Amino acid sequence: MLKHSAAAPMATSVRQPRLNLDEIQGDVLWGLQKNAEAFVFFKIQNISLFKQWLRQFLQHITNTRQVQYRDLILRRYRQMGRKTRQSLYGLNLGFTWHGLNALVGIRRPGLDPSFEEGADSPGTIARLNDPPKSRWLPKFTSDRIDGVFLITGPDPPSVTFHFNKLLNFFGTSVKLVYSEMGTTRPGAERGHEHFGFLDGISQPGIRGLTSQSNAIREPDEGLPGQDLLWPGEFVFGYPAQDPQDPTKEGPPPETAAPWMRNGSYMVFRRLEQKVPEFRRFVVEQAARLGMDSELLAARMIGRWKSGAAVELAPLRDDPRLAGDKKRNNDFGFGDDPFQRRCPYAAHIRKVYTRDDLDEAEAQRHRILRAGIPFGPEVAPGETTTKRGRGLMFVCYQTSIERQFEYIQRQANDPAFVGGKRRPGSGAVTPGFDPIIGQAEGAGVRTMDEPYPNYPAGSRRTTLTIPKHFVELTAAAYFFMPSITALRTVLT
Ligand code: N7H
């Protein structure tokens, strides 16, 4: 999944930050080009040997300038109807708090409190209603994880080739704890996640990086509906959002150490998706409610499988809208106060409130997503999940607590977004995000108004969801250092 369209010259009155693209790892702001991605979780066995090998290996780490350039080349070739023979192999690297302790020493300055606590601490698990560690993949939890290599490429065999080379190179300095390959889905499903929905449509734009489709009339937008954010929301060392004004420059996020500059936090979550169970549930519930099952699924997500937003296409899919990048993200929720078009609890309405809340506030809880599906396609006759599949969820930010964790907690909170009312009557409890919302103890979840009262109507319905269709099976928080930090403090 690519986060950006190739850069075009920018013309805007707002001062643009100058990003040091040679320093920032490629997956963070732009996204490594990937049809396949190996996640290689490792423990450092011999610190000095690891540092020595890493110093020699640094030339292979892919930075943002390289991915931006590759994207440009890919585009040119596509325009000419040709395939490029450029190598699209990519490599990025991050460390957990254990890894930073090993490399910098235990007296190092403390980073983000959530990062220092780790994704697997009882506190984090309780805060996010995550399943207990005893239910995670046994191999993932079998040893301490110090770091992760992200290896990307055009297909699984070439990624496996680079994976083997990397393991040989680092030899006994590391122990492989767990590895897994993510792949984009085949054929027409490319770009769609396993439930069938097109992913990677809405990403925050970044000032100083994202090209603008109308810089004169909409200086604060990339594509229509894509707000440009100050890069400090995602990378250290740059101005971040002003908490009072969605467009103004705010102070850079605090850094505990100078070497955090041009670095970012990465959240990793291996989310298994129960696809046959999800499909069956949607069909059964749609029959109960007397509605089309594709419409029910679309109202649970807030977009049709094609990617068309229900806010713009409330009753039936509109593939032309879905294919139009200038229209398919150009909407808000402010003019849909009674969830007639899009339920309050729909996944995309929960995780990014747009103009439903204060807009400056909404922009303080954004993430850059860079995940990839894993696992096989559903086999014919597979009516209950036989082989694990789902999403290797990855996102980048400068505050795990204010960005990823905030979003997950709102997805889990049936009362969010608060203050909603029915037309002419009482208060509404929107319910859980039916996709990623997690109830305590994986209990029953409800979602308000799966049936659309569009354009009018007052039929009250509730969706009761007895089981979770997305289950966390592994998670970790990483710091993705700059190239200079890797070359100096960390080695
Ligand atoms: Fe979500 N899905 O297929 O249902 N997501 N997501 N997500 N998600 C989005 O706009 C999905 C997960 C966000 O800006 C789309 O790119 C699935 C987590 C955010 O309008 C679809 C899983 C978190 C957005 C899905 C999953 C988020 C977003 C629409 C897990 C954070 C952008 C396509 C298996 C805690 C919202 C698009 C915006 C969009 C799905 C996980 C967050 C189809 C299946 C864990 C911020």
Side-chain angles (χ1 to χ4, degrees), residues 21-173:
L21 301 181
D22 299 306
E23 279 292 325
I24 304 165
Q25 295 198 53
D27 207 39
V28 176
L29 294 180
W30 196 278
L32 295 168
Q33 286 79 10
K34 53 188 91 148
N35 291 333
E37 176 170 24
F39 293 78
V40 185
F41 301 95
F42 64 89
K43 177 182 172 184
I44 302 169
Q45 302 264 58
N46 180 328
I47 299 174
S48 56
L49 203 58
F50 176 76
K51 287 186 172 184
Q52 190 185 323
W53 292 142
L54 183 56
R55 235 173 286 135
Q56 290 187 28
F57 210 71
L58 282 183
Q59 52 174 318
H60 300 296
I61 305 259
T62 317
N63 65 33
T64 309
R65 189 168 314 277
Q66 288 165 314
V67 288
Q68 194 185 28
Y69 177 72
R70 286 174 183 182
D71 214 24
L72 205 72
I73 302 273
L74 277 175
R75 248 154 223 282
R76 293 267 155 83
Y77 271 84
R78 221 172 290 136
Q79 279 160 4
M80 293 186 296
R82 284 167 51 193
K83 282 202 163 176
T84 168
R85 285 165 67 186
Q86 283 258 327
S87 156
L88 294 180
Y89 156 69
L91 177 71
N92 274 189
L93 167 64
F95 297 103
T96 61
W97 66 274
H98 295 291
L100 290 186
N101 279 356
L103 299 176
V104 189
I106 50 168
R107 283 172 206 226
R108 69 176 173 81
L111 274 56
D112 176 291
S114 297
F115 171 79
E116 297 292 353
E117 202 181 341
D120 62 347
S121 79
T124 307
I125 289 174
R127 215 166 39 245
L128 303 182
N129 286 351
D130 281 347
K133 241 177 119 175
S134 56
R135 298 248 308 277
W136 296 16
L137 290 182
K139 193 131 197 327
F140 188 87
T141 55
S142 65
D143 209 336
R144 195 185 73 209
I145 290 174
D146 289 333
V148 65
F149 284 108
L150 305 178
I151 310 173
T152 56
D155 49 52
S158 65
V159 170
T160 304
F161 172 79
H162 286 289
F163 166 67
N164 289 332
K165 247 172 76 173
L166 180 132
L167 281 192
N168 270 337
F169 188 87
F170 281 92
T172 55
S173 73

Side-chain angles (χ1 to χ4, degrees), residues 1 192-204 267 269-273 278 300-305 307 329 331 333 347-354 365-369 390-395 403-409 411 433 435-436 469-471:
M1 163 168 68
H192 294 240
E193 53 67 58
H194 276 289
F195 290 146
F197 294 84
L198 186 63
D199 208 351
I201 303 167
S202 174
Q203 293 273 23
V267 168
R269 287 166 81 78
R270 183 182 186 277
L271 299 168
E272 278 198 13
Q273 292 174 250
F278 174 80
M300 291 166 78
I301 276 86
R303 289 189 186 270
W304 296 85
K305 286 184 179 152
N329 201 33
F331 62 91
F333 299 116
H347 178 56
I348 68 159
R349 195 164 180 170
K350 276 274 198 185
V351 295
Y352 175 33
T353 52
R354 298 183 183 236
H365 307 290
R366 306 293 304 280
I367 48 177
L368 283 168
R369 292 171 297 135
L391 183 68
M392 298 296 238
F393 175 84
V394 168
C395 73
Q403 293 166 282
F404 162 70
E405 286 192 359
Y406 172 93
I407 297 173
Q408 183 65 56
R409 281 188 285 110
D433 175 329
I435 304 302
I436 62 158
F469 301 111
V470 171
E471 283 175 13

